Amino acid sequence: PGGKSIRAALKAEYGHVEARDISSSKVALIEENVKRLGLGNISCTVWDACRKDESWVGCADVVIADLPCSGLGVIGRKPDIKYHMNMEKLDSLASLQRDILSAVWDYVKPGGYLIYSTCTIHKAENEDNVEWFCRNFPFKPVGEPILLTPDDHRADGFFITRLQRHEN
């Protein structure tokens, strides 16, 4: 947990990284790694991403939306996923992703970026949600999305795209 946030903090020459997760145990793990690495430019907070934090509206240059997903891209490492996933759960996760995006989009300053990422290769959780998001919020894709598939890249399946907020 927190790998992307910690990487961002390590690469940041200035600024501050706010890492959030709904799970207090995951936040504790992130804090442990932050302390171990001696990072002073990152803080960790337990927060339900579906709830908008009004104090962050218009404050972020970049928001990394590392969304909860089905994990179908990591099924090679976690084969139990296939026993617990069904179409109803997939639809529910895609809906949860939209709820989170509906809350966090407004944190991004005009001209700033939202990085959308999942560890799944499921179209409804990736391309379909990005298309929905850009139709409903003031963002446009920048560059091509990246879809890594285990078959093509000998890696976990992963989706990432960069979206830029434009003026309303």
Side-chain angles (χ1 to χ4, degrees):
K4 293 173 191 71
S5 297
I6 288 170
R7 177 76 174 157
L10 287 167
K11 297 296 277 181
E13 293 180 27
Y14 59 91
H16 184 81
V17 175
E18 171 83 19
R20 294 182 171 193
D21 198 286
I22 195 169
S23 163
S24 58
S25 61
K26 286 184 182 178
V27 168
L29 291 171
I30 298 167
E31 288 173 330
E32 183 180 308
N33 284 324
V34 166
K35 184 177 179 181
R36 181 178 53 82
L37 293 167
L39 297 172
N41 63 340
I42 183 170
S43 56
C44 306
T45 305
V46 176
W47 188 267
D48 179 352
C50 290
R51 289 183 38 228
K52 181 177 280 196
D53 181 346
E54 294 294 336
S55 70
W56 273 92
V57 171
C59 291
D61 294 309
V62 178
V63 168
I64 301 173
D66 188 23
L67 299 163
C69 66
S70 62
L72 295 176
V74 296
I75 202 165
R77 286 190 296 117
K78 299 179 179 181
D80 59 305
I81 289 172
K82 64 184 164 193
Y83 300 114
H84 304 290
M85 195 52 56
N86 57 45
M87 287 308 295
E88 186 177 297
K89 286 182 183 177
L90 286 171
D91 290 342
S92 175
L93 284 164
S95 177
L96 173 61
Q97 292 166 345
R98 289 181 181 197
D99 290 345
I100 291 170
L101 292 168
S102 296
V104 305
W105 74 272
D106 209 15
Y107 302 161
V108 181
K109 296 175 184 175
Y113 296 94
L114 185 137
I115 308 300
Y116 182 108
S117 74
T118 67
C119 61
T120 187
I121 54 175
H122 188 244
K123 188 174 185 276
E125 295 177 86
N126 294 331
E127 296 92 344
D128 291 353
N129 266 353
V130 169
E131 184 180 308
W132 168 85
F133 181 69
C134 290
R135 269 195 328 266
N136 291 284
F137 299 95
F139 285 81
K140 61 184 175 205
V142 176
E144 292 296 317
I146 297 169
L147 177 64
L148 300 177
T149 60
D151 292 338
D152 296 336
H153 297 91
R154 294 186 185 170
D156 288 337
F158 190 75
F159 178 85
I160 188 166
T161 193
R162 184 169 59 149
L163 307 168
Q164 186 173 30
R165 182 171 179 179
H166 51 81
E167 301 295 329
N168 294 345

